[in-house]
Amino acid sequence: MLSKPTKVLTKVSLFIFIIIVLLASFKSHAQSPKLFLFDSQGVAVNPGVILKSDAKMTLTGLINHVVVTQHYINENPFAVNARYVFPLPDESAVQAMTMRIGERVIKGKITKKRQAEKQYQAAKKAGKQASLLRQQRANMFITNVANVGPGEEIVITLEYQEIIDYQHGTFAIHFPTTITPRYHAITGEVNDEQDKHAIKSANAPLFTPQGWLSPVYTKQTNEATNASDLSLTINMDIGLELIDINAKYHQVNIENPAFGQYSIVLKPQQAINRDFVLEFKPLQIAQAQAALFTQQAQNGEQYALAMLMPPSDSFTQSQRLPREMVFVVDTSGSMHGQSIEQAKKALFYALSLLDSDDSFNIVSFNNEVAAMSETPLIASDFNLRRAERFIYNLQADGGTEIKGALDAVLDGAQFEGFVRQVVFLTDGSVSNEDQLFKHIAHTLGDSRLFTVGIGSAPNRYFMRRAADIGKGTYTFISSAHDVQPKMQQLFDKLAHPAMTNLALTNTNGDSLDFWPSPLPDLYFAEPIMVAIKLDNTDAITFTGQTAHGEFKVKLNPQASSKATGIDKLWARQKIKSLLLYNQQSVVKQQVQQLALEHQLLSPFTAFIAIEETTIKEVAKQSTQVANTMPQGMTMRLPQTDGQSKVHIVFGALLLLGGLLLVRRCK
């Protein structure tokens, strides 16, 4: 005869066993019989749609025109609605979208974001094939495709343009291929009313209850499984002979059919799990300190793109001011793996570049902030060894609470007799960027903020904007091999700013309508690109202050090179500056009007394309196209799909059973 406690235990165990069987049965019936995607922990999620992407770039002068084509192929035996969360360069001006179904091509129309979302939802419910292109962040976009029939292919094409990066005599193109998962600060107010509506109207939530942006990922076991269906072609016609073309992290084929013309093609069957970076150097660098490109738009208005670049060796003759260096290093979970090792190596090398007149400190952060010292330390041998021990002990874990780190190093103070420079090393894996931008602007004071992007796919949007507001610059380190040269270049800039108090005026000395505004400080070997709306002026004048006195240079629009697309780049830069330095609600109307006038994607506009005929089967299932986990990321992301709810229920039942057992045994 079983004792009373034993009988209770048997009943509870049987109850739990039945629940487990039911949950397992529910899980097996919820999965698709055809095609599966996996989240970051290898758990199967919604039935999938295959995506193949093509990117074609055309470089003319300083402008890169890009056409991205996304092929959505439904291999399920039923219709589905698909969504794809994908990155683009943070400075891209997205200006067009089309949808192709078989031989039918539907041109996307730019309209107000909420209006486009309502039209998409109505078309989806009516069984019409439709596509919706939205901007979630300046470097993160969402394509929704409704009612993709079984075995059918829908092709979405989007176009954007950007200004080519130019630093230290080297041009560079950056094309992001995947997304580093974003941490959402628990106390941060990330999503404004527009974002909430966008999330509500999507089929799957963009943000999980834990606060992570939730793309799904392909299940990967080695590099071979990361091979992506991405083709990339770059055609350059810049009129200069190049001495070096280097795709830093991918293999490419390069052809030179004519003088100044180059064709670069990405070799197939490569792991596309990090940003594509192409660098190229001209044989001869123009000695002029400024260059100007102009365009006359269809409405008769004139625009200009100006590049101002100081000589690269002027800093060798200037006096260096004493400075306080504050190194802030991200030790959150997203930095685990290669990223934290790159950050440590960068810090070690930065210490070796400090001068005996410098003072410094190191601050690490994840959920919590830890400083090496309560006050800045002189860069003595003893203090440098102490700093090395602090760096050795850094471990990556926890959330990315950047606000706490900013509070620790920025307090709005002014500094006399020395320069205070904050170097921020992070992958920028956060979703509350706008809140952080406003916080930096409010607390910067007389400090300068320099961001260093760490990892294979950092959040360039956050890194660039934070440096813009912080009156510093952004440096990208994607490989351990880049640490030494990149940090050396950064320290050259930190030691010797070239020009401050920059201004841009017309013939009469009046300020022009230019963006970015205000102009940042100018650093050696790093030009400033300015998009200008001209007012029929016959001259443009740059002025600024250098260590040797006032700087002034005049540019003649009539003698400039001609280019296209400058009007859209001007509008894109103006939208960026308006949102960066103002409350979104205050400038919403102005940004929306600019975006509609220049046919640009923005936080308040979207592209919508609808095929008016209906399909036989209205899609009842929705799916999200998978991204590839960035190279070097070994962290296990928090469980965020439906399985976590099952585990919560199961845990609650176990607790309930345990409580019943305790009560019956008393």
Side-chain angles (χ1 to χ4, degrees), residues 341-353:
E341 297 306 318
Q342 291 169 19
K344 287 184 177 182
K345 188 172 181 179
L347 285 173
F348 285 132
Y349 188 69
L351 293 178
S352 72
L353 298 175

Side-chain angles (χ1 to χ4, degrees), residues 101-119:
I101 308 169
E103 299 299 323
R104 305 185 305 281
V105 177
I106 301 96
K107 183 178 180 180
K109 298 179 181 179
I110 190 79
T111 186
K112 295 178 181 179
K113 186 175 181 179
R114 288 195 175 185
Q115 182 178 336
E117 289 171 343
K118 290 179 180 178
Q119 292 175 1

Side-chain angles (χ1 to χ4, degrees), residues 109-342:
K109 298 179 181 179
I110 190 79
T111 186
K112 295 178 181 179
K113 186 175 181 179
R114 288 195 175 185
Q115 182 178 336
E117 289 171 343
K118 290 179 180 178
Q119 292 175 1
Y120 174 81
Q121 292 296 332
K124 183 175 70 171
K125 291 179 181 178
K128 297 178 181 179
Q129 293 178 314
S131 60
L132 174 69
L133 177 62
R134 293 169 292 163
Q135 174 185 306
Q136 173 66 21
R137 293 288 187 272
N139 64 337
M140 194 175 299
F141 299 80
I142 306 166
T143 299
N144 286 76
V145 184
N147 294 308
V148 187
E152 191 171 34
E153 176 180 349
I154 291 182
V155 180
I156 306 299
T157 300
L158 60 95
E159 299 180 29
Y160 72 86
Q161 56 186 1
E162 60 178 344
I163 300 172
I164 304 170
D165 283 343
Y166 182 71
Q167 297 182 19
H168 303 281
T170 302
F171 292 97
I173 299 170
H174 295 259
F175 185 73
T177 62
T178 190
I179 301 172
T180 297
R182 308 289 196 256
Y183 175 79
H184 173 59
I186 295 174
T187 58
E189 296 180 2
V190 179
N191 302 317
D192 61 12
E193 187 178 354
Q194 298 290 330
D195 286 334
K196 289 177 182 177
H197 181 82
I199 293 168
K200 183 178 179 181
S201 67
N203 294 313
L206 280 180
F207 290 93
T208 67
Q210 289 84 359
W212 288 85
L213 185 66
S214 185
V216 295
Y217 294 92
T218 52
K219 187 175 183 180
Q220 54 190 64
T221 56
N222 52 50
E223 288 292 307
T225 61
N226 269 338
S228 171
D229 287 318
L230 171 68
S231 66
L232 176 62
T233 303
I234 304 172
N235 293 310
M236 298 192 296
D237 186 6
I238 58 177
L240 296 172
E241 184 177 353
L242 304 179
I243 58 174
D244 183 37
I245 302 177
N246 179 24
K248 294 179 69 66
Y249 313 116
H250 298 87
Q251 295 180 344
V252 296
N253 291 320
I254 302 174
E255 295 183 359
N256 181 202
F259 176 81
Q261 297 181 7
Y262 298 85
S263 177
I264 297 96
V265 179
L266 180 69
K267 291 184 178 180
Q269 300 304 314
Q270 294 186 66
I272 307 299
N273 54 6
R274 65 187 308 161
D275 289 358
F276 175 86
V277 180
L278 183 76
E279 295 183 347
F280 47 101
K281 296 181 179 181
L283 180 62
Q284 294 181 343
I285 301 174
Q287 297 303 310
Q289 290 180 302
L292 188 68
F293 299 84
T294 58
Q295 174 207 358
Q296 182 165 337
Q298 292 182 349
N299 60 4
E301 293 181 332
Q302 291 189 332
Y303 297 85
L305 180 64
M307 179 177 74
L308 177 63
M309 184 180 68
S312 60
D313 59 349
S314 296
F315 65 84
T316 58
Q317 301 177 3
S318 61
Q319 182 73 28
R320 190 170 77 82
L321 292 173
R323 60 184 173 176
E324 176 188 325
M325 300 290 300
V326 183
F327 301 102
V328 185
V329 57
D330 183 351
T331 57
S332 64
S334 64
M335 291 283 289
H336 189 71
Q338 293 182 12
S339 294
I340 190 64
E341 297 306 318
Q342 291 169 19

Side-chain angles (χ1 to χ4, degrees), residues 15-17 46 52 97 104 118 157 173 235 238 253 273 356 450 457 556 592 635 639 664:
F15 173 71
I16 293 174
F17 175 76
N46 290 334
K52 296 182 180 180
M97 184 265 277
R104 305 185 305 281
K118 290 179 180 178
T157 300
I173 299 170
N235 293 310
I238 58 177
N253 291 320
N273 54 6
S356 58
F450 297 81
N556 183 2
Q592 187 172 266
M635 62 178 292
Q639 182 67 42
R664 294 293 297 271

Side-chain angles (χ1 to χ4, degrees), residues 56-127:
K56 295 182 179 179
M57 301 182 177
T58 304
L59 276 66
T60 306
L62 298 175
I63 300 176
N64 183 20
H65 298 263
V66 186
V67 178
V68 178
T69 305
Q70 300 169 346
H71 301 257
Y72 294 85
I73 307 168
N74 180 17
E75 293 194 346
N76 294 286
F78 44 80
V80 298
N81 303 308
R83 188 184 71 182
Y84 182 40
V85 181
F86 62 98
L88 288 179
D90 58 289
E91 296 288 340
S92 58
V94 182
Q95 61 191 49
M97 184 265 277
T98 59
M99 177 174 68
R100 179 167 59 84
I101 308 169
E103 299 299 323
R104 305 185 305 281
V105 177
I106 301 96
K107 183 178 180 180
K109 298 179 181 179
I110 190 79
T111 186
K112 295 178 181 179
K113 186 175 181 179
R114 288 195 175 185
Q115 182 178 336
E117 289 171 343
K118 290 179 180 178
Q119 292 175 1
Y120 174 81
Q121 292 296 332
K124 183 175 70 171
K125 291 179 181 178

Side-chain angles (χ1 to χ4, degrees), residues 27 51 61 150 153 236 297 318 334 402 418 431 450 467 504 523 544 551:
K27 177 181 175 181
L51 172 67
E153 176 180 349
M236 298 192 296
S318 61
S334 64
I402 288 182
F418 67 96
S431 63
F450 297 81
L504 190 60
Y523 290 87
F551 166 87

